[in-house]
Amino acid sequence: MECTKCNENGRTIDPAVQELFKKAADEGIDTAWDRYEQQKPQCGFGELGLCCRNCLQGPCRINPFGEPKTGVCGADADLIVARNLLRSVTGGTASHTDHAYSAVQLLRLMTEGKAEYPLKGAGKIAGVAAKLGIDTKGKKDEEVAREIALTALADFGNYSDAPMKWLTATAPAERVDVWGKLGILPRNPDREIRRAMHATAMGVDGSPMNLLLACLKSGLIDGYAGLHLGTDIQDIIFGIPAPVKTEANMGVLDKNKINIIVHGHMPEVSEKVVEWADKLSAEAKAAGAEGINIAGICCSGNEVLMRHGVPLAGNFLSQELAVITGAVDAMVVDVQCFMPAITKVASCYHTRIITTQGIAQLPDAEHIPIEPEHADEGAQKIIRLAIEAYKKRDAAKVSIPRHKSEAWGGFSVEAIVGALSKVDAANPLKPLVDNIVNGNIKGAVGVVGCNNVKTTQDAFHVELIKELLANDVLVVATGCSAQALAKYGFLCPEGAQKYAGKGLLAVLTAVGEAAGLGGPLPPVLHMGSCVDNSRIGDLVGALAAYLKVPIKDLPVVASAPELQHEKAISIGVWAVALGLMTHIGLPPPVLGSPLVSKVLTADIEGITGGKFYVEGDAHKAAQGILAHIMQKRKGLGL
Ligand code: NFS
Ligand code: SF4
């Protein structure tokens, strides 16, 4: 791995991306980093959250150093910041919830025989049904799956004041109680999202504190109607992930094959592309290629990595560079995190950009809908378009960096508990807890989230996790953070020897050997996409239940070092509501309100037990996280 210092302009530590920057410069192609330069200086009012455009009397801006102190309507800095924050959190929540809703609709159509997807996750059905109180006796899998889908849809149609069922059924009872007392238990997710938009409109909620409580509620919708519901339903449809070996970074692209990148978030798209790439490989060979190679970017990549070991081309900021290799024949996108710039970059090559969802189209892309009822037809069209594009590939423009690392994925809670049960079948969590108690493992960190052009790509993920692992902290990862760590060898067994402290290494080795891996577990366990942060929530909840303490008392911290998307903010709010200290590497636009900043980073700890911790330096963040872990250990008498 190259160090940050070898990267003079501070854009990325990824050697493959650095190599492709040179190619981009030679070919005169701009990337996100160039466009970021063109944006500088970015608006100070916006950065502090002090700009309001919620009515046509604005935009109004608050001067943090003087006048004006209010907008035309009298809204002050605290109110404007709180309103803007609620809109951001709710934007993230809407993204996750809409994604989850698509999965639910697919499952419903499957149980009506109307969708071209087989049910692959029968093993998940009983557990989810039990939590929801659905009787499974004498029923076929499809029947129970249908009841599960209808229960989810009932949450989305809930017109009563009862809280949404997915939350009360899957969140720890202690938390449901805390949230109930705060009056923030969400009812129907759609209705609450509507309420948040209404509350933030001109002349409605003027109380910053009330708006911050609404933020917490929005975070809970994200956690349960978005993440938890999404993961449960996707596991039922596509199967529960199990440990699988693959590779990560641009070197996974193959110049002799037709390269198709799946990018976005919806496994109903990426799964079909993977399926039909295999079925149509003869057509690829007839076109002169050695076969079809699928690689992932962002969470679509994570979904098929977790379930099929599909290799990873890169994370969020790598997306344009993947096209710049000249070796990508098609990039298939669905929703979220693909940059509109991608079609412009693709226009310099033979690469076809294919959109698949009605709500997510691009002017210069090919639109091939992937819908439950006709998914096979759509996927075949996509593969054939990629084959056609391949025939036009210009070999002179192809340059694939050789960099890649071995990476393991597939660590669902079921897989982790499965590995631990090889050590203690009767009591799988006992070995983990015993090692936390005896100090071999000091605590655990879930590292999640994006890349952000404002920080050196991957550097924060890597430096932070290196230091935590060396200090015997168990690390699980999702999203583009897991992808960052995958590229530098943190997700393979050899990484354990290299990065884990002595105590942690002993545990990883004992569990890995008991589970038949013939060596240690990887030092960072890849738990999936960002929606799969629900898996981390479940694991933490199970640990708390085992120890009979609230989550807030555990030596566990969440971190999103390079967060970018509104979704990362809404996940963070959910983590804080769960009771976790949540580190973020750069602040959301709230610093214009001393009140909001103080509530989020301090006062809220007295309410949920969690809080945000903002630290932009990797070493300082690691030290802050370790100090918090040691303090929580002390609280538990360890
Ligand atoms: Ni999460 Fe996954 Fe990546 Fe950030 Fe985007 S892909 S849902 S939002 S950028 S981690
Ligand atoms: Fe200005 Fe108030 Fe309108 Fe916002 S809602 S734009 S602060 S007048």
Side-chain angles (χ1 to χ4, degrees):
M1 191 186 75
E2 282 184 44
C3 70
T4 325
K5 293 184 190 68
C6 315
N7 166 34
E8 72 223 27
N9 56 12
R11 289 180 163 191
T12 181
I13 58 166
D14 183 334
V17 173
Q18 288 174 1
E19 206 175 307
L20 289 163
F21 273 149
K22 293 191 192 97
K23 187 167 187 282
D26 289 347
E27 295 175 7
I29 300 170
D30 274 357
T31 62
W33 286 271
D34 303 301
R35 296 188 296 273
Y36 175 52
E37 290 305 316
Q38 290 158 16
Q39 283 296 329
K40 283 182 180 169
Q42 288 181 310
C43 172
F45 296 98
E47 216 156 24
L48 295 172
L50 288 174
C51 170
C52 181
R53 294 185 296 116
N54 291 11
C55 88
L56 301 188
Q57 301 175 97
C60 297
R61 302 178 304 179
I62 306 301
N63 180 352
F65 308 110
E67 300 297 329
K69 285 199 168 27
T70 68
V72 173
C73 68
D76 64 7
D78 294 333
L79 181 56
I80 289 176
V81 166
R83 275 198 311 220
N84 287 343
L85 180 67
L86 179 53
R87 286 209 166 180
S88 270
V89 174
T90 304
T93 297
S95 298
H96 281 140
T97 307
D98 201 40
H99 169 168
Y101 189 84
S102 297
V104 176
Q105 283 291 28
L106 171 57
L107 182 61
R108 177 182 68 81
L109 289 167
M110 284 164 63
T111 64
E112 290 166 10
K114 290 180 187 156
E116 297 177 325
Y117 291 81
L119 189 74
K120 290 188 180 165
K124 186 87 175 187
I125 291 175
V128 174
K131 287 201 167 177
L132 295 171
I134 294 171
D135 182 16
T136 57
K137 240 181 266 134
K139 292 180 192 160
K140 287 201 192 105
D141 285 345
E142 282 72 14
E143 280 174 73
V144 184
R146 179 165 183 78
E147 284 184 48
I148 290 173
L150 294 181
T151 304
L153 291 169
D155 267 345
F156 285 98
N158 178 15
Y159 54 82
S160 79
D161 281 333
M164 55 172 293
K165 185 148 197 179
W166 224 273
L167 183 152
T168 52
T170 61
E174 180 269 340
R175 286 288 100 183
V176 178
D177 196 43
V178 169
W179 300 330
K181 286 185 180 131
L182 284 171
I184 56 168
L185 285 174
R187 302 157 302 178
N188 164 341
D190 289 344
R191 184 174 162 202
E192 304 292 6
I193 289 168
R194 178 201 334 130
R195 283 236 121 182
M197 292 306 289
H198 182 187
T200 48
M202 192 270 151
V204 188
D205 201 345
S207 159
M209 290 307 288
N210 202 36
L211 287 158
L212 290 176
L213 277 175
C215 282
L216 276 181
K217 187 192 261 190
S218 206
L220 295 182
I221 305 166
D222 191 73
Y224 298 96
L227 313 184
H228 212 295
L229 201 149
T231 304
D232 285 342
I233 301 290
Q234 288 178 175
D235 277 1
I236 290 173
I237 299 173
F238 302 109
I240 302 170
V244 62
K245 183 173 141 179
T246 186
E247 291 176 322
N249 215 344
M250 298 291 177
V252 306
L253 298 174
D254 186 335
K255 74 172 170 29
N256 298 318
K257 291 187 177 164
I258 294 173
N259 294 302
I260 302 178
I261 289 204
V262 288
H263 178 11
H265 287 79
M266 296 170 70
E268 45 265 58
V269 174
S270 45
E271 285 272 342
K272 273 291 162 198
V273 173
V274 169
E275 179 188 334
W276 280 98
D278 186 42
K279 288 182 176 162
L280 296 180
S281 67
E283 289 184 28
K285 285 177 186 148
E290 281 177 11
I292 301 175
N293 180 40
I294 310 284
I297 284 186
C298 285
C299 286
S300 283
N302 281 330
E303 295 285 355
V304 286
L305 184 159
M306 291 285 284
R307 295 195 180 86
H308 304 286
V310 167
L312 197 71
N315 49 357
F316 176 69
L317 278 177
S318 297
Q319 58 184 284
E320 294 171 279
L321 288 307
V323 174
I324 290 168
T325 62
V328 173
D329 302 296
M331 180 182 272
V332 185
V333 301
D334 45 71
V335 293
Q336 302 166 15
C337 296
F338 56 92
M339 298 188 203
I342 203 78
T343 42
K344 191 166 176 215
V345 177
S347 71
C348 305
Y349 304 93
H350 69 297
T351 309
R352 304 299 290 265
I353 305 294
I354 303 167
T355 55
T356 57
Q357 301 301 306
I359 65 156
Q361 306 197 31
L362 292 167
D364 297 314
E366 198 77 26
H367 187 68
I368 303 180
I370 295 287
E371 288 153 353
E373 299 90 336
H374 320 284
D376 289 323
E377 188 193 331
Q380 289 174 68
K381 275 192 195 159
I382 286 172
I383 303 293
R384 293 198 169 111
L385 194 67
I387 295 174
E388 284 315 304
Y390 166 77
K391 292 178 189 163
K392 296 187 190 128
R393 191 196 286 177
D394 180 353
K397 279 191 158 181
V398 173
S399 173
I400 303 173
R402 61 183 165 74
H403 306 279
K404 60 178 175 180
S405 279
E406 179 186 321
W408 285 72
F411 291 95
S412 54
V413 175
E414 292 85 343
I416 293 173
V417 171
L420 289 169
S421 70
K422 297 283 166 30
V423 182
D424 187 336
N427 219 343
L429 287 181
K430 189 169 181 292
L432 183 57
V433 170
D434 286 352
N435 279 293
I436 295 175
V437 171
N438 72 21
N440 271 338
I441 296 176
K442 295 286 181 300
V445 166
V447 62
V448 309
C450 328
N451 290 141
N452 184 319
V453 77
K454 292 180 178 174
T455 74
T456 307
Q457 184 190 16
D458 300 342
F460 208 150
H461 296 292
V462 165
E463 295 307 322
L464 175 72
I465 295 313
K466 242 197 229 166
E467 193 162 340
L468 292 176
L469 290 172
N471 282 283
D472 296 315
V473 172
L474 183 71
V475 178
V476 297
T478 60
C480 290
S481 181
Q483 300 184 330
L485 296 165
K487 293 190 278 179
Y488 309 98
F490 288 85
L491 264 52
C492 63
E494 291 72 51
Q497 312 279 357
K498 202 163 155 193
Y499 299 115
K502 240 164 96 194
L504 178 62
L505 179 61
V507 180
L508 294 172
T509 306
V511 178
E513 279 174 357
L517 296 180
L521 286 173
V524 175
L525 300 179
H526 187 346
M527 292 190 77
S529 64
C530 294
V531 161
D532 292 337
N533 281 318
S534 65
R535 302 189 200 277
I536 302 182
D538 280 352
L539 192 60
V540 170
L543 268 181
Y546 184 90
L547 285 165
K548 300 195 176 64
V549 297
I551 288 175
K552 69 179 174 61
D553 292 343
L554 295 175
V556 173
V557 174
S559 173
E562 302 179 22
L563 72 169
Q564 162 266 134
H565 206 280
E566 286 176 332
K567 292 177 288 172
I569 307 179
S570 55
I571 294 171
V573 172
W574 168 62
V576 169
L578 268 180
L580 296 176
M581 180 169 97
T582 302
H583 162 251
I584 46 180
L586 62 174
V590 299
L591 297 183
S593 165
L595 172 79
V596 172
S597 306
K598 183 166 160 289
V599 170
L600 295 178
T601 56
D603 301 355
I604 196 169
E605 197 172 14
I607 301 172
T608 70
K611 65 177 174 188
F612 280 104
Y613 163 50
V614 185
E615 175 52 65
D617 176 87
H619 171 63
K620 283 188 198 153
Q623 290 304 315
I625 289 170
L626 286 167
H628 186 81
I629 284 175
M630 295 319 283
Q631 184 204 327
K632 291 291 172 182
R633 289 184 65 89
K634 211 166 145 207
L636 288 172
L638 302 176

